[in-house]
Amino acid sequence: MVKSFIFGLLILIGVGHIEAQSCDDITSDALYFSAKATAESEESARLLAQDYLINQISTTVQSVSALTTTEISGEVTQDYVSTGTNVSSLRLKGLRHMVCSQNRRNNEVTVLVYIAMEDLESSARAVETQVREYFELMAMKEMIGAYSMTDVYFAYLHTFLSPLPISLEHNGRTINDAKTYLEVMLREHLNGLSFDFESITPGHAGMEEQYSISASIANADPGLNYNLHIPSLNARAVFRGGQGMLHVFMRPAAPKETINGYLTFGAGRIPAEVQEVANLRVFSRSMSITLDFSQVISVDFTTELQADHVVATPRLAHVSPRSFSWEMGNQRLSNDQILRVPRENVTGPIRLVINDNQALSVRKTIDGDVVQMNAEAPPESENSLKLSSAHAAHFENLSHFSELQKVLAQLRRGGLAVWGNKTDFVNPNTCWVLLVDPQTEQVQYVLSPHHRGRTDIKSGQTFNEVGEQFKGLIAIWVDFI
Amino acid sequence: MGRFYIAVLMVLMTIGTTAQNRTQIILRNVDGSAVQNNVQNNAQLFINAANIASASEQGIQWDDIDVTDNARDRVDALWQTSPFRCTETRMTTNLLRLPGNRFQVRQIPVVVVKDRVEQELVLNFSAVGALEDVYFGIEQHRYSNLLAEGRDLRDFRRRQMILDFIENFRTAYNRKDLDMLEMTFSENALIIVGRVLQETERGFDGMASLDDRQVELIRFNKQQYMENLRGVFRRNAFVNVTFDDIEIVQHGHHNDIYGVNLKQTWRSSTYGDEGYLFLMIDFEDEDQPLIHVRAWQPEKDTPMKEVIKLGDFDIVK
């Protein structure tokens, strides 16, 4: 590290020519940007002066550096309070330097670094060409309906290499500052993203508090990586191609838990020349995420007769019990974890409510017959099933067959789904089933698949299988890809 | 009621059955220039000429269409085996730009009359708007996804060129275009065809393994392959080849060499199969790309790890 003795930095823009080639001439010439620095070696002084010059140019065009400015003896002295921007990434061709003075006694060298306005403009033009190519690429991709946010991102990063603002024409309109334009696009993209949590799988025995949550991001650009960070759970997940898996350690106290996190994005292969910019310019968005644990939570209890008492013991899975409430009809029997009550007092089914949440309750007779169970038990063989909420959106509000035809055609064009008869599918259990009345041509049922059968999203009714009850209706089986 | 059942049948079979002769094509991004108007006009004239020809079971009437000789020959050849008609009465799409100030219109839904297979038609136009090529494209979302991977303008253009080449290559089989296929393969092309062995070798315990059916890879040279193909074209009234699951890989050192892996479905009047197809394509001459290697392996009996890829070859140029 250099032990620097910086006496000052002079950023001077003067008027005149460079014929004399002296430091003073250059600093007073309006055709040059220049910066001066003093250090104990020429190399150190040159690097410092170069940093200052780049900062100055960057500040001139971007106003991103925080500066305090004081007027001393007619000269402007600038103290750099905070930089922390990407200014060192500026592409500057034609940068030159000269030694202004050397003080051997104090071991000090003062160096002037400068660049001609003409070279500055030439550097800007070189970057502009590159940014224009990205805009052209964006336009080409937009025309074929392909994602182009990666190109927007790369174009944005490249704008930071230009010492001057970039203006160009795009889709018939003039963009005065490409950087701002692209930044708005990127922010809108980030704000438009939404998560669809598709399944929650608990860890194996001994790791029950670990959950693997597979999710997809709607409107994700396949070329970008999205990073989800949930600080409270110290969990991170990377979504590539819009798909990812979040691993969290937690014990839910309710079927639906909301957690807070933030989302950023980046790209897998960032061009080397803008890697530094990418490290410094991070877009982030905070978000609340609701995780649905109802598919893994199980609330149950066992009963046994001990002498003339009934003893009920909770059997819980994947839920953190904070309170117990044993009830019979409108009567509260106990808030203890284990219920012990005289047999003669039990005149009806007993209900166990966990955490005062009716969604976590079970009502049973003392013979073990389940009367009502509100928290879903995990399926025996498959803990992971599609929630299909994103898919349901396609079929909501469908009434006539002609509307269904349009939706199916759209899904096909987008490569999102295939459909046919039941026998066309290897695993029809995962298919949606749409049932149409041939008399009225009305869509009667839209059955979504889940691990216990199917639920009609129109009426909320649940069916174990698609069978006799739908006799006379025409069934179209749809599998999302 | 009957119409409803037909509509349901259409949905389930995904085949259009309505017949109409008139299709309006709207290119939403034309700039109003004479060239681009010419493209739109020619696209519409051609599609409607195809609709009329397919309904009347005759050849296409080219009178009003601005078309190159090459395109006319190719379409006429295609028409012999795979006449088609557009299934839409009105369709809106974008006019795309190709290298050399040329234009392209994609995603025109057509049904090939003979085998009732749905295809998406691609029309290429010259810099002055004349129709210069017609072929069956790959599905639009696959096309978009493959192009979306283009990292920069040059990579995008190359991918566009590869996909156009692949689509044209595929349609050459429909046209039974031996001349084009002959030109496409390099003189020293290596042709590999996988054949499933009927009996597997017995293991050390003398038991034949039913699961380990083996695929023998047979090598052909270009002349042998073309001769076989000539016989196939002669024996079949129509050949329909489709490509799916396309992956494009650029060689790490030789930037002009690309490996293309895809799933090929072959349907013809006498035979059908599905297999993995690998093509090693050399774009050193971008106007005349050459296939150095074509390898086909049966899908059913080839594990993914044994599928031939670009990395399996040492390239000396």
Side-chain angles (χ1 to χ4, degrees):
Chain A
M1 195 64 194
V2 180
K3 180 187 171 192
S4 59
F5 301 93
I6 308 164
F7 289 147
L9 163 71
L10 297 176
I11 308 292
L12 298 168
I13 303 166
V15 180
H17 299 286
I18 193 170
E19 287 165 2
Q21 293 291 314
S22 74
C23 287
D24 288 343
D25 288 341
I26 292 171
T27 52
S28 60
D29 192 332
L31 296 176
Y32 291 89
F33 272 106
S34 64
K36 200 185 283 183
T38 303
E40 62 185 4
S41 71
E42 182 185 331
E43 177 67 4
S44 303
R46 186 181 64 77
L47 290 173
L48 280 169
Q50 185 174 313
D51 274 355
Y52 295 149
L53 177 67
I54 288 170
N55 269 294
Q56 169 63 13
I57 294 167
S58 179
T59 305
T60 306
V61 296
Q62 298 176 36
S63 301
V64 288
S65 295
L67 303 172
T68 56
T69 308
T70 24
E71 194 84 8
I72 302 173
S73 304
E75 290 182 349
V76 178
T77 301
Q78 294 181 328
D79 299 309
Y80 285 78
V81 175
S82 168
T83 51
T85 64
N86 60 311
V87 288
S88 61
S89 298
L90 276 183
R91 183 176 296 172
L92 295 175
K93 281 187 179 171
L95 202 63
R96 284 172 280 182
H97 75 282
M98 69 168 60
V99 175
C100 300
S101 67
Q102 271 187 311
N103 186 333
R104 292 183 196 281
R105 198 174 54 187
N106 294 338
N107 200 23
E108 292 167 0
V109 183
T110 300
V111 171
L112 180 79
V113 171
Y114 60 99
I115 185 169
M117 214 44 144
E118 192 182 335
D119 288 332
L120 202 65
E121 284 166 2
S122 155
S123 299
R125 275 196 301 275
V127 178
E128 189 180 307
T129 304
Q130 225 167 346
V131 172
R132 275 181 196 280
E133 282 199 2
Y134 277 114
F135 269 84
E136 196 177 335
L137 188 59
M138 282 153 51
M140 302 281 279
K141 288 187 180 177
E142 280 164 18
M143 273 197 283
I144 55 164
Y147 288 96
S148 61
M149 207 43 68
T150 312
D151 311 304
V152 172
Y153 181 49
F154 287 167
Y156 173 72
L157 296 178
H158 278 87
T159 59
F160 282 84
L161 301 184
S162 173
L164 300 171
I166 296 171
S167 68
L168 40 76
E169 296 284 324
H170 179 59
N171 288 343
R173 37 192 293 220
T174 303
I175 297 163
N176 292 322
D177 183 0
K179 185 186 292 168
T180 310
Y181 178 82
L182 294 164
E183 185 163 329
V184 169
M185 284 181 82
L186 290 167
R187 289 212 178 279
E188 281 179 357
H189 172 66
L190 195 60
N191 290 336
L193 298 174
S194 62
F195 276 90
D196 180 27
F197 290 93
E198 291 164 345
S199 69
I200 295 183
T201 309
H204 53 74
M207 297 285 279
E208 289 89 351
E209 292 184 6
Q210 184 185 33
Y211 296 95
S212 300
I213 301 161
S214 77
S216 61
I217 304 179
N219 303 322
D221 186 304
L224 293 178
N225 298 333
Y226 300 88
N227 308 295
L228 178 63
H229 183 202
I230 299 166
S232 61
L233 300 174
N234 195 24
R236 288 173 189 275
V238 179
F239 291 77
R240 293 188 178 86
Q243 300 287 327
M245 185 79 84
L246 178 68
H247 301 285
V248 294
F249 277 93
M250 65 185 294
R251 202 156 175 84
K256 289 190 175 174
E257 292 276 3
T258 300
I259 52 178
N260 294 317
Y262 60 85
L263 188 67
T264 60
F265 67 79
R269 288 197 300 180
I270 292 174
E273 69 270 22
V274 289
Q275 183 65 59
E276 191 187 352
V277 185
N279 293 341
L280 291 161
R281 296 295 299 181
V282 178
F283 287 84
S284 80
R285 172 198 161 192
S286 62
M287 57 194 315
S288 286
I289 296 159
T290 301
L291 300 176
D292 187 352
F293 287 94
S294 61
Q295 55 184 310
V296 294
I297 287 177
S298 167
V299 175
D300 198 3
F301 63 85
T302 57
T303 54
E304 61 176 319
L305 280 172
Q306 291 181 359
D308 56 352
H309 279 72
V310 172
V311 176
T313 309
R315 291 282 179 264
L316 308 177
H318 304 294
V319 62
S320 174
R322 290 165 192 177
S323 70
F324 297 86
S325 177
W326 297 94
E327 298 163 2
M328 190 171 60
N330 294 328
Q331 179 192 358
R332 178 162 294 181
L333 299 174
S334 168
N335 287 112
D336 294 339
Q337 181 169 352
I338 294 174
L339 172 71
R340 187 178 172 83
V341 62
R343 171 67 182 86
E344 63 191 26
N345 291 352
V346 180
T347 55
I350 296 171
R351 179 193 290 127
L352 168 63
V353 181
I354 300 296
N355 299 343
D356 292 325
N357 189 334
Q358 289 299 322
L360 297 176
S361 68
V362 58
R363 193 154 68 104
K364 297 170 76 172
T365 66
I366 59 170
D367 298 325
D369 297 333
V370 176
V371 178
Q372 183 187 11
M373 186 178 281
N374 287 338
E376 291 193 14
E380 287 175 9
S381 58
E382 190 184 16
N383 284 333
S384 175
L385 274 171
K386 286 180 182 175
L387 287 178
S388 306
S389 58
H391 301 157
H394 295 292
F395 300 131
E396 279 172 357
N397 307 319
L398 276 184
S399 56
H400 195 267
F401 175 69
S402 58
E403 295 164 11
L404 173 59
Q405 274 184 302
K406 284 180 189 162
V407 170
L408 291 176
Q410 276 173 359
L411 290 171
R412 180 176 171 275
R413 273 199 296 274
L416 299 174
V418 291
W419 61 87
N421 295 309
K422 183 179 182 181
T423 50
D424 294 336
F425 296 96
V426 177
N427 189 4
N429 290 336
T430 62
C431 289
W432 285 69
V433 186
L434 297 116
L435 293 141
V436 184
D437 185 338
Q439 302 292 332
T440 61
E441 300 188 13
Q442 293 295 311
V443 180
Q444 294 285 355
Y445 299 93
V446 178
L447 304 182
S448 73
H450 59 79
H451 59 261
R452 285 185 171 173
R454 294 175 196 286
T455 300
D456 177 25
I457 66 169
K458 285 166 119 23
S459 65
Q461 283 181 281
T462 299
F463 302 95
N464 290 334
E465 57 184 316
V466 181
E468 283 294 307
Q469 67 270 49
F470 301 116
K471 202 171 176 183
L473 301 180
I474 288 172
I476 297 167
W477 297 66
V478 181
D479 194 10
F480 283 89
I481 297 167
Chain B
M1 178 72 80
R3 196 164 51 82
F4 168 71
Y5 278 111
I6 290 168
V8 170
L9 200 64
M10 272 176 65
V11 167
L12 294 178
M13 296 176 69
T14 66
I15 291 173
T17 55
T18 55
Q20 97 288 316
N21 289 331
R22 186 81 195 148
T23 299
Q24 184 185 8
I25 293 181
I26 299 161
L27 303 177
R28 61 169 76 90
N29 59 331
V30 288
D31 60 8
S33 65
V35 171
Q36 295 197 8
N37 286 343
N38 198 22
V39 169
Q40 176 160 297
N41 190 36
N42 267 324
Q44 190 158 302
L45 285 171
F46 170 70
I47 291 299
N48 286 309
N51 288 346
I52 292 166
S54 99
S56 61
E57 297 184 0
Q58 293 186 353
I60 290 179
Q61 295 300 311
W62 294 100
D63 302 344
D64 301 325
I65 306 168
D66 186 3
V67 59
T68 64
D69 291 344
N70 188 41
R72 186 196 305 230
D73 292 346
R74 283 188 173 188
V75 174
D76 285 342
L78 185 63
W79 206 257
Q80 296 302 312
T81 60
S82 313
F84 51 80
R85 64 180 165 74
C86 182
T87 55
E88 303 284 326
T89 50
R90 176 189 162 98
M91 63 158 296
T92 306
T93 186
N94 278 327
L95 178 64
L96 308 178
R97 286 181 176 280
L98 293 179
N101 292 325
R102 291 153 58 240
F103 300 94
Q104 187 175 69
V105 178
R106 300 185 63 85
Q107 234 183 326
I108 302 173
V110 294
V111 170
V112 177
V113 178
K114 283 188 181 169
D115 52 6
R116 308 201 62 75
V117 170
E118 279 190 346
Q119 300 274 11
E120 287 185 1
L121 203 66
V122 179
L123 309 180
N124 283 356
F125 296 88
S126 69
V128 293
L131 183 65
E132 66 173 18
D133 211 348
V134 176
Y135 45 81
F136 297 133
I138 60 172
E139 281 184 43
Q140 186 61 22
H141 73 276
R142 293 185 198 284
Y143 182 84
S144 301
N145 289 348
L146 286 161
L147 285 184
E149 290 170 17
R151 295 186 308 277
D152 51 43
L153 210 50
R154 187 167 184 274
D155 191 34
F156 182 90
R157 296 278 193 208
R158 265 281 166 85
R159 284 171 175 272
Q160 207 175 18
M161 207 178 286
I162 289 169
L163 289 173
D164 286 351
F165 173 77
I166 287 172
E167 289 172 332
N168 217 333
F169 176 68
R170 169 203 156 182
T171 313
Y173 286 92
N174 291 62
R175 290 196 302 262
K176 299 183 179 178
D177 191 344
L178 281 168
D179 291 342
M180 190 244 170
L181 291 168
E182 179 122 33
M183 278 196 329
T184 302
F185 287 99
S186 70
E187 282 311 307
N188 299 317
L190 171 64
I191 316 277
I192 301 169
V193 176
R195 190 180 66 179
V196 180
L197 295 178
Q198 292 303 311
E199 288 186 26
T200 56
E201 289 181 11
R202 289 176 184 275
F204 67 92
D205 56 357
M207 300 288 287
S209 165
L210 293 175
D211 294 329
D212 296 336
R213 298 182 72 189
Q214 290 186 359
V215 175
E216 179 189 30
L217 298 177
I218 305 167
R219 292 172 60 155
F220 294 102
N221 60 29
K222 178 180 174 179
Q223 286 68 34
Q224 290 168 321
Y225 176 70
M226 294 307 300
E227 201 47 49
N228 290 344
L229 207 54
R230 199 180 306 278
V232 170
F233 285 171
R234 205 171 36 237
R235 285 191 299 276
N236 287 280
F238 73 88
V239 175
N240 182 29
V241 177
T242 52
F243 291 160
D244 289 304
D245 300 346
I246 299 171
E247 282 178 33
I248 300 170
V249 178
Q250 188 179 27
H251 194 275
H253 301 300
H254 303 287
N255 290 342
D256 294 329
I257 301 279
Y258 283 80
V260 179
N261 281 89
L262 53 89
K263 210 149 82 176
Q264 174 185 281
T265 304
W266 176 290
R267 295 276 175 269
S268 64
S269 349
T270 62
Y271 176 73
D273 65 34
E274 289 177 0
Y276 298 113
L277 187 70
F278 168 76
L279 300 172
M280 186 197 288
I281 309 173
D282 188 347
F283 282 87
E284 189 175 339
D285 179 359
E286 289 192 344
D287 295 330
Q288 184 58 57
L290 286 178
I291 294 177
H292 291 310
V293 180
R294 176 195 185 273
W296 182 88
Q297 297 161 281
E299 184 197 11
K300 200 174 147 197
D301 300 293
T302 307
M304 280 312 288
K305 63 177 191 254
E306 287 178 20
V307 171
I308 293 171
K309 299 179 291 295
L310 185 61
D312 296 331
F313 297 90
D314 286 329
I315 298 170
V316 182
K317 276 192 88 178

